Amino acid sequence: MAFRIGIVGAGGIGHIHAAILAKDPRVTLQTVFDVDSARAQAMAARFGRQPARTLDELFKESDAVFVCTPNTTHEEVATQVLEAGKHVFCEKPFALNLKSAARLRDRAVKSGLVYQVGHNRRFAPVYKVLKSAIDKNELRPLSVHAKMNRGELVNPPWVWDASLTGGFLYETPVHMFDLMTFFFGKVDWVEVAARAHEHGELDDFSILLGFQSGLQATMKTFAHSSWHFPFERFEVYGKHSTYETFEMERISFTNGLETRTTTYDFSLATMHEKWGYVEEDRLFVDALEGKSPAPVTADDGYNVVELIETCYQSAREGARVHLGALVKKT
Ligand SMILES: NC(=O)c1ccc[n+]([C@@H]2O[C@H](COP(=O)([O-])OP(=O)(O)OC[C@H]3O[C@@H](n4cnc5c(N)ncnc54)[C@H](O)[C@@H]3O)[C@@H](O)[C@H]2O)c1
């Protein structure tokens, strides 16, 4: 029997998941709830379903719930889903501060239900090539540089408001923090310099990350550059090897000094595939079936929140801060 999926939040990312899930024969897109009932109605109609009038109604009709609501609501809505005994897929960010992240992680673990965080970049083909090269020891990272810019904090209209996003680092750069630990392991310390240019929030970060392995990475992220391509990029260097990503369109690498460069170009794939959404949803359904555990866990979500909070702390103090220092304080 197909798993019944309910979607909470009929906005941009809710539509993306709905479109992907509608193609998976293992699930039924059961119903949608949104505080804006017209949005819920429109999305449900698009998939030939009826909207739910309340969250409870959605829970009654669902085996698993996709939480696709704004950042500030994730802990509250995901907690309600867990309390209703339903499996959770919740969009990033996992939470917006350490206490909230610890509460949610503990509830998720205790529930024994599937809990997956929407760090889709892990499943983007370019990043899978990079991860596979590291796992197979074809690339032994010795030095890393990454950037993640935004063109503006104008669209959507609330994206400039730190009280709604949690701060710029919780916006798109959150993905880079997840990828950093996914590729290179645990971070030991960070040193961060940051400035505010617009809207009174820190929106320009120069970040130095020291990993437990000894590897060091730099990361630059600025909120108001332009949409000049590529606004997202990793450069990873090993001994006489360079791997370079260009958005989620392609990855090029050269292994050795006198050799050729290989490029994998994914530009013809659909955006849903290129950005990793198709695979993350497939793996969530695999986890519902018990085939494999959720690939991005509540623990992973917590670790990203801790890393971001440690970056903000370092920026405030103008000093190196070790991971774990904030946990001791709270
Ligand atoms: N993983 C990714 O690549 C990615 C991409 C975009 C957005 N996101 C994340 O997804 C979330 C939603 O982003 P979006 O761009 O779809 O936003 P959006 O504004 O387009 O949609 C959010 C929807 O949630 C509804 N909503 C608000 N509060 C609600 C509540 N308490 N209960 C039910 N519905 C509620 C709104 O009415 C709206 O329809 C954000 O947390 C964002 O960070 C992730």
Side-chain angles (χ1 to χ4, degrees), residues 8-17 33-37 39-40 55 67-74 76-77 80 89 91-93 118-121 156-158 170-172 174-175 271 275 277 280:
V8 184
I13 198 74
H15 273 89
I16 288 178
H17 289 299
F33 172 73
D34 195 298
V35 284
D36 181 335
S37 57
R39 283 185 161 217
L55 262 187
V67 180
C68 302
T69 53
N71 300 2
T72 46
T73 63
H74 289 177
E76 187 189 336
V77 179
Q80 286 176 271
F89 179 103
E91 264 308 330
K92 59 81 185 164
H119 285 303
N120 53 296
R121 295 292 200 280
W158 44 264
Y170 282 105
E171 257 307 300
T172 336
V174 71
H175 290 296
M271 179 263 195
W275 287 45
Y277 298 125
E280 75 172 346

Side-chain angles (χ1 to χ4, degrees), residues 222-273:
F222 177 52
H224 317 281
S225 53
S226 67
W227 293 116
H228 185 97
F229 244 49
F231 36 87
E232 173 176 334
R233 147 173 255 149
F234 267 93
E235 291 170 21
V236 185
Y237 312 110
K239 187 173 179 192
H240 307 312
S241 61
T242 299
Y243 281 64
E244 182 179 30
T245 63
F246 188 93
E247 267 317 291
M248 285 170 279
E249 302 291 307
R250 53 180 195 270
I251 177 166
S252 290
F253 55 89
T254 307
N255 269 326
L257 289 178
E258 291 167 11
T259 181
R260 56 192 173 177
T261 296
T262 305
T263 299
Y264 287 104
D265 189 327
F266 299 100
S267 51
L268 292 181
T270 64
M271 179 263 195
H272 291 181
E273 284 168 315

Side-chain angles (χ1 to χ4, degrees), residues 10-146:
I13 198 74
H15 273 89
I16 288 178
H17 289 299
I20 294 167
L21 291 166
K23 292 184 190 153
D24 189 331
R26 299 172 298 167
V27 305
T28 305
L29 196 55
Q30 189 70 19
T31 187
V32 185
F33 172 73
D34 195 298
V35 284
D36 181 335
S37 57
R39 283 185 161 217
Q41 174 71 51
M43 183 163 147
R46 193 175 149 199
F47 295 96
R49 312 302 304 182
Q50 289 297 320
R53 279 164 301 179
T54 62
L55 262 187
D56 280 340
E57 199 174 291
L58 176 133
F59 294 151
K60 280 196 192 105
E61 294 181 33
S62 310
D63 303 307
V65 177
F66 272 62
V67 180
C68 302
T69 53
N71 300 2
T72 46
T73 63
H74 289 177
E75 185 196 357
E76 187 189 336
V77 179
T79 299
Q80 286 176 271
V81 181
L82 290 171
E83 283 172 352
K86 309 296 173 180
H87 303 290
V88 182
F89 179 103
C90 185
E91 264 308 330
K92 59 81 185 164
F94 181 64
L96 296 181
N97 62 63
L98 259 190
K99 279 191 178 158
S100 164
R103 273 194 304 267
L104 186 53
R105 176 197 56 190
D106 294 348
R107 280 184 188 126
V109 171
K110 204 170 151 202
S111 73
L113 296 159
V114 174
Y115 195 109
Q116 185 170 327
V117 188
H119 285 303
N120 53 296
R121 295 292 200 280
R122 290 187 185 200
F123 314 106
V126 286
Y127 292 133
K128 286 178 66 179
V129 172
L130 183 53
K131 172 74 171 151
S132 160
I134 294 168
D135 288 349
K136 288 182 184 158
N137 267 334
E138 291 161 5
L139 165 67
R140 293 173 194 227
L142 298 176
S143 186
V144 175
H145 178 58

